[in-house]
Amino acid sequence: IEAVELYRFYRAGEEETLALRGVSVRVDAGELVAVVGPSGSGKSTLLACLAGLDEPDGGLVRIGGLRLSHRPERERAAMRARGIGMVFQTDNLLPHLTVAGNVDLAQRLAGRANRPYRDRLLAELGIASRAGALATTLSGGEAARAGLAVALAAEPAVLLADEPTGELDDTTEGSVLALLHSRARAGTAVLIVSHSPAVAATADRRVDLVDGRVRDE
Ligand code: ADP
Ligand code: ADP
């Protein structure tokens, strides 16, 4: 996945904010990249543009060589469902469904129902025993793993994570990070946005955002 010279302006009344000022970032298959930067530096905006949730005002986003930006929302949503997994700080589980039900739904939305893969995934993430549990009954660590299972349900080529370990204790943070690294080694392009220096230190590569620009090394 790559962002090429992204610009994003926000206008609120008289006030204009340049959230991204020509940001280029590329994550290859098999690579884990950390985007770090202070609050307000543009991390969330970059992530939203990479995911096709937001449209840049300038520049473009490509995934697997195909342009994702500047398409109707419906097309972006379809590309996102098939190609991009997203992990959020607050989990992305539907509370009235079980863990397995949440993964099934994500697979169906992508047109990729696959029970054997689902069950392997839950086992790999260490939550097979919680497959039948309602999302509301999970512990913090279990919910983080279940959220990762939903993100990976459709076997996406790209995994985007926004502070994936933000609310976890050190032990759980370590195990979620290990899972993200193992996904990268298996060939997924993984991008993590994080405040945590510990998380950034484990990345293959680190991109520093400052005031909407990538800081040069
Ligand atoms: P973070 O990514 O650091 O967790 P957010 O993305 O929620 O935080 O917000 C970052 C900054 O952007 C904050 O200063 C917030 O006030 C500002 N912000 C977020 N959304 C809006 C909005 N809709 N209008 C104005 N400012 C916003
Ligand atoms: P970060 O995730 O690094 O905290 P953001 O991407 O949330 O940074 O924000 C970058 C800049 O854009 C900040 O100055 C923020 O206040 C502004 N911003 C973000 N979202 C909005 C929005 N929806 N409307 C107006 N300003 C926004």
Side-chain angles (χ1 to χ4, degrees):
I1 189 164
E2 64 178 337
V4 183
E5 285 285 306
L6 286 193
Y7 285 83
R8 185 72 175 99
F9 314 95
Y10 290 115
R11 198 166 290 112
E14 298 283 279
E15 208 169 321
E16 208 174 86
T17 306
L18 256 167
L20 300 176
R21 315 176 182 217
V23 172
S24 297
V25 174
R26 175 188 168 113
V27 188
D28 286 315
E31 202 182 18
L32 190 149
V33 173
V35 173
V36 296
S39 190
S41 58
K43 304 183 299 296
S44 303
T45 304
L46 173 62
L47 207 62
C49 288
L50 284 170
L53 293 167
D54 192 11
E55 280 278 56
D57 296 300
L60 60 89
V61 173
R62 280 199 208 96
I63 172 164
L66 283 178
R67 180 171 45 75
L68 172 67
S69 51
H70 308 102
R71 284 180 189 275
E73 162 58 24
R74 203 140 66 106
E75 292 180 21
R76 280 185 275 133
M79 289 177 76
R80 185 163 61 240
R82 280 190 227 105
I84 302 176
M86 300 192 62
V87 185
F88 303 96
Q89 184 168 3
T90 48
D91 68 69
N92 47 340
L93 303 170
L94 291 172
H96 59 284
L97 292 180
T98 63
V99 170
N102 270 278
V103 176
D104 285 343
L105 179 61
Q107 288 189 332
R108 262 185 277 137
L109 288 173
R112 285 196 186 151
N114 183 339
R115 292 222 160 174
Y117 172 74
R118 178 197 75 186
D119 294 339
R120 279 203 307 280
L121 187 60
L122 295 180
E124 182 193 332
L125 296 175
I127 46 168
S129 66
R130 303 294 276 149
L134 282 178
T136 46
T137 66
L138 303 176
S139 71
E142 288 168 348
R145 287 149 194 274
L148 198 48
V150 167
L152 295 170
E155 304 183 61
V158 175
L159 187 62
L160 303 176
D162 193 358
E163 298 281 0
T165 61
E167 287 171 3
L168 304 176
D169 59 59
D170 289 350
T171 314
T172 316
E173 169 172 305
S175 73
V176 168
L177 259 185
L179 290 165
L180 293 173
H181 275 280
S182 108
R183 276 288 146 175
R185 280 197 302 277
T188 307
V190 181
L191 183 142
I192 303 179
V193 164
S194 181
H195 284 100
S196 161
V199 171
T202 70
D204 299 323
R205 198 150 55 77
R206 168 179 166 159
V207 173
D208 285 284
L209 269 193
V210 180
D211 280 341
R213 286 198 182 88
V214 175
R215 193 171 66 192
D216 293 326
E217 261 93 293

